[in-house]
Each structure stands twice: as C-alpha cells, then as structure tokens.
Amino acid sequence: MIKRALRIGQAAVLLVACVSAAAAFAGTKKFPNEGVWRGEFTVDGEAIPFNFEVKGKDAADAKFSLINGARRDNFIVERVSDDELSVPMNTYDAALVFKIVDPKHIQGEYRDLVPKRKGARNLPFTAEHGKSWRFVEPAKQAAAEVDLNGKWALRQADDTQLRDNNTNERDNRRNQVGLFKQNGTHLSGVIMTSVGDTRELEGIVQGNRFYLSHFSGPSPRLIKGTVDEDGNLQGSSGSGIYNVARFEGERSDNVELADPYKLTRLKEGQTRIDFTFPDLKGQPVSLKDDKYRGKVVIVEVIGTWCPNCTDQTYFLSPWFKQNKHRGVEAIAIAFEQEDSFEYFQKTLGKFKSYFDIQYDIVFGGIADKKVATEKLAGLNYMAAFPTTLLIDRKGEVREIYTGYTGEVTGEYFKDYVTKFNHVLDELIAEPDPYANVSQATGP
C-alpha cells in the first residue's frame, strides 16, 4: 500500500510538472529557427515554391531575406502575438503573416493589404526549416536531358491572355527574350519583355522539363515547360494575381526586343509635356514651377505595386543624391492601386522613407495606363510602368524610356546605365537658357 501510494504521488508530481511545462511553453513568445527555409504557396491547387532565410532570435532583431538566385530582398519582422508574426513586404502593400506551428514549421498567408480588395488576393503557404532546395529535393532529382543555357526568342502564344486592346501593347507583351543559366540541374535566369522583366528566376531542369519560380515581395510567379527533340520550347507563366499565359520559343543569339526608347513618344507637333499633381503634403507640383526652371528634369512614372518601378527607384534614388548638385531635378509620378490621396500618402510616404528619396513625389491617380495616358496628355500612350522621361533645360522632352531592365539582365542593364548617364551628362552640360534672363531682371 505504501509503495502504491508512493507511485501515485510520483505520478501526480510528474503530471503537475508536465502541465506546468506545457503552460510555460504556451506562454512564451515563439520564433522560427534561424537558417534557410523552403516555403510553398498554394495557387489554384498548384504549389509555387520559394526560399528564405531567417537571422535573429526574435522579431526585434531579426532579418527575413527572400532568396532568388543571387538576389536577396531583406525585410523586418513584426510580432502579432506569442505565436504569430508578420513580415511586411517593404514598399508593397502586402505582408507574410504566419503562425509558428513549432520552431521548424510555419503556416500562414501572403496577405494583400490594399483596402478595397479586402483580401481577395490572399495566398496560403506553409514552410519548413532546413530545406534549401526549391522544386525537388536532391535525393529525388533526375538528370537533366536538355541544356537551356543561353538566349531564347519567346512568344506569348495565347492572344486571349493579352489583356490590352492596343496593338502595340499586345506586341510588347507577346515578344519576349529569355536569358537562362544552367549548371547541371540548377536553372536560373530572367525573361524580358519590352515593358519590363520578371526579376531573377530560380529553379531546376528534370529530364526535358524545367521549372522556375520567383518571389521577392509582389505576387509569386511560376514558370514551367518542356524542350522537345528539335530544341523548341513550350511553357506557361503565371502567378497568384496574373492569369496564366502560354509561351513558345527557340534558342536565338540574335533576338532583340523593340527599342525601349521608341515605344512611348510625344504626340506629333509637341516637344514638351506638362502636368499639375499634388505632392505628399497636398501642394501642387508642375514642371512650370520655378524649382524646375532651367534645370534638367527626370520624370519617373511609377507605382509602389510595380516591381520594375521599385528596381528603377533602387537605381534612381542614389543616382539623384550623387548628381543633384549638377543642375538636375527629378519628379516621381505615382499611379496607385486606389484612387485616393490618403492611400497615396500612406504608400508613397513609406516608399519615400524606404528609399530615402530626395526628389518630389506626386499623385497621378489610379494605376491604369489609360488613365496615365490621359493625364500625361502629351504622350502617345503609356506602354508601361515605369516610364522615364528626360527633359532638357528648356523644358523639352529629349528621351523617353519605357520599362526597366534590372541588374539580372546583365549587359542590357549595363547598356541602360551607360546611355542614361551619357544622355544626362549631355543635357546637364547644355547652357541654362534662363540664366541671362535672371541676371538681367535681378536687383
């Protein structure tokens, strides 16, 4: 009896200890393990994989990095509750919000924070710690039977997915160039169109099939396809926001896109544009303002929702800080996901702070190319966000560049930077036509 009572007492003590430990664990602030993770979005029943890295032990000192080949996009982490965290997607109006199942497993959703959409574009995801592979774990990979290295001429094959009725716009999206690098089964690269690029893609080749994905803040993207016996390529591209589109193509060292300096132009007989839009304080800004008189002006048409616009701003903001003393100004005209000045103040205020932008930012209206074309009435049509206009000291438009080619495009990016600097150097070197007028009318 004594032994039995002792055993019962020991069991009771153990039960109390277990309950206490569980209660203590439940009350602690959970955080995912440091290191590399593999996640999967679920979009219409299909998985879109992505990789990320967590550094730090808690939200206050953590860094969350999305990985796409050589590209790293870094984000802060915010605590929602003891077991729930949020990773705001920097300047995009979205966040990864997830619960920690245990230190090696999380589950949540990519949450669309644009108020009027009310979560219509939310995407569920799960993620597991310690997995650096993307599509197929190493032990289950098959050998690659095709080589995608090089340059490919691609064409979007399904006209029903070309959403714009403008003939030029349809051609701009139909014709594409793929730049791929393959090392064994590992595949990376980018697909360019005349109106922008996909950012860096990463994936795998299995047999004669290939798979690529990208996620760096905007909606994730999945690209997959096959290479047939003749070396021709068929595939599809899609994401959680945009419709899936089929494409086809063949290897070509000579394929080129339309000249981005000739897609958007001034209407016949015009040499300049003008506009008046409110800045972040609600004050009207116009090219006729004294601030811009006799200056070279860079006008950048953007949207915070647009990944190529973000990449363009990564380039332009530091460039402007280094060159603003040379007689150059810049204006960013933002067309946003809601036609609301308050929404513009929220999104562009964050955008300005994040990039430390030291030039004017103004609100153009809703994110629609037809609206932008109407409000920038001197242009033939707005082919893409971003579009960059270079205006000389007399106020005349000298160059218009459609889209943006990011660093992942290699020589295309270098060519863009070289020409941008060359044109700006020439415009800045021209005399200020108002200098003598100012002196003559001075005190």
Side-chain angles (χ1 to χ4, degrees):
M1 290 291 293
I2 294 175
K3 289 183 179 179
R4 183 183 177 194
L6 184 60
R7 286 197 300 270
I8 293 173
Q10 290 172 334
V13 170
L14 181 61
L15 178 61
V16 170
C18 291
V19 171
S20 299
F25 177 76
T28 60
K29 293 182 177 180
K30 301 176 185 178
F31 199 75
N33 281 357
E34 287 190 282
V36 176
W37 289 67
R38 178 184 181 273
E40 275 193 357
F41 291 106
T42 302
V43 182
D44 296 330
E46 186 160 33
I48 302 181
F50 65 104
N51 298 106
F52 60 92
E53 184 178 23
V54 176
K55 290 185 178 180
K57 302 293 185 181
D58 196 14
D61 63 352
K63 183 171 75 172
F64 185 102
S65 301
L66 290 171
I67 302 170
N68 294 278
R71 182 183 178 118
R72 297 290 187 278
D73 290 272
N74 300 321
F75 306 83
I76 63 168
V77 180
E78 297 176 349
R79 183 167 291 283
V80 179
S81 66
D82 285 352
D83 65 348
E84 188 173 17
L85 299 170
S86 174
V87 180
M89 298 286 93
N90 290 337
T91 60
Y92 305 107
D93 206 6
L96 289 176
V97 181
F98 54 86
K99 287 196 172 184
I100 300 160
V101 179
D102 59 55
K104 293 187 176 183
H105 297 85
I106 62 176
Q107 62 182 23
E109 65 181 3
Y110 175 83
R111 190 167 294 174
D112 181 0
L113 300 178
V114 178
K116 287 186 177 179
R117 288 206 289 259
K118 298 180 180 179
R121 295 175 175 176
N122 292 350
L123 301 174
F125 80 94
T126 59
E128 186 173 354
H129 175 263
K131 294 185 175 181
S132 59
W133 52 274
R134 206 168 183 95
F135 282 92
V136 182
E137 59 183 296
K140 297 181 180 179
Q141 290 182 11
E145 298 173 3
V146 293
D147 181 3
L148 277 83
N149 269 305
K151 192 174 182 181
W152 293 74
L154 307 177
R155 294 170 302 281
Q156 191 164 320
D158 188 352
D159 281 355
T160 64
Q161 300 296 340
L162 295 167
R163 294 171 291 166
D164 200 296
N165 291 326
N166 185 297
T167 302
N168 292 328
E169 175 74 3
R170 293 166 71 85
D171 289 341
N172 293 342
R173 293 187 178 279
R174 177 183 290 110
N175 299 314
Q176 306 173 358
V177 172
L179 304 174
F180 300 130
K181 294 180 182 179
Q182 183 178 338
N183 182 10
T185 60
H186 184 264
L187 183 65
S188 62
V190 61
I191 295 177
M192 303 186 300
T193 73
S194 295
V195 294
D197 65 62
T198 59
R199 289 183 165 180
E200 186 164 353
L201 304 165
E202 186 175 11
I204 194 170
V205 180
Q206 294 288 275
N208 72 331
R209 298 191 63 83
F210 65 91
Y211 305 86
L212 291 159
S213 66
H214 177 95
F215 176 59
S216 58
S219 183
R221 180 178 295 274
L222 175 67
I223 295 172
K224 59 183 181 178
T226 60
V227 180
D228 64 24
E229 294 179 353
D230 296 323
N232 297 318
L233 182 152
Q234 298 85 34
S236 63
S237 173
S239 73
I241 291 178
Y242 303 105
N243 293 330
V244 174
R246 295 184 297 108
F247 63 88
E248 57 190 20
E250 62 278 335
R251 197 187 305 272
S252 173
D253 293 333
N254 299 318
V255 62
E256 295 294 345
L257 297 169
D259 187 343
Y261 288 95
K262 295 181 179 179
L263 293 175
T264 302
R265 59 186 182 275
L266 293 178
K267 292 178 180 178
E268 188 174 352
Q270 293 194 224
T271 61
R272 59 184 67 208
I273 63 165
D274 191 31
F275 52 79
T276 301
F277 296 125
D279 65 12
L280 285 163
K281 295 180 180 179
Q283 299 300 312
V285 173
S286 169
L287 286 172
K288 295 178 181 177
D289 295 343
D290 288 343
K291 178 178 182 178
Y292 304 108
R293 182 180 173 90
K295 300 284 188 69
V296 174
V297 184
I298 303 165
V299 175
E300 181 191 28
V301 186
I302 65 167
T304 57
W305 47 271
C306 160
N308 294 143
C309 300
T310 304
D311 289 344
Q312 163 71 0
T313 306
Y314 271 117
F315 167 76
L316 182 59
S317 179
W319 186 95
F320 180 77
K321 283 185 279 189
Q322 294 168 11
N323 291 274
K324 62 182 180 179
H325 66 281
R326 300 172 63 196
V328 61
E329 291 288 348
I331 306 173
I333 306 174
F335 289 84
E336 288 302 293
Q337 295 175 99
E338 293 199 359
D339 193 6
S340 159
F341 181 74
E342 290 73 23
Y343 185 77
F344 158 75
Q345 285 182 308
K346 169 195 164 186
T347 55
L348 271 299
K350 182 166 61 173
F351 194 80
K352 179 181 177 69
S353 175
Y354 183 82
F355 288 106
D356 188 26
I357 293 172
Q358 297 180 11
Y359 46 84
D360 283 334
I361 302 175
V362 299
F363 180 44
I366 192 70
D368 184 288
K369 283 179 284 189
K370 292 180 180 178
V371 171
T373 300
E374 292 169 0
K375 293 196 173 186
L376 298 171
L379 302 180
N380 65 329
Y381 83 109
M382 270 288 298
F385 296 96
T387 292
T388 305
L389 295 85
L390 304 182
I391 301 173
D392 67 19
R393 293 182 183 273
K394 294 182 292 184
E396 296 184 351
V397 177
R398 296 281 284 273
E399 295 282 2
I400 303 176
Y401 186 91
T402 298
Y404 185 70
T405 50
E407 291 188 41
V408 67
T409 65
E411 293 301 319
Y412 290 91
F413 172 73
K414 292 178 182 178
D415 290 345
Y416 168 81
V417 174
T418 297
K419 182 163 184 177
F420 181 89
N421 282 304
H422 176 71
V423 173
L424 266 297
D425 286 344
E426 286 187 338
L427 298 183
I428 291 170
E430 293 176 356
D432 178 356
Y434 304 103
N436 294 332
V437 176
S438 298
Q439 292 172 7
T441 59

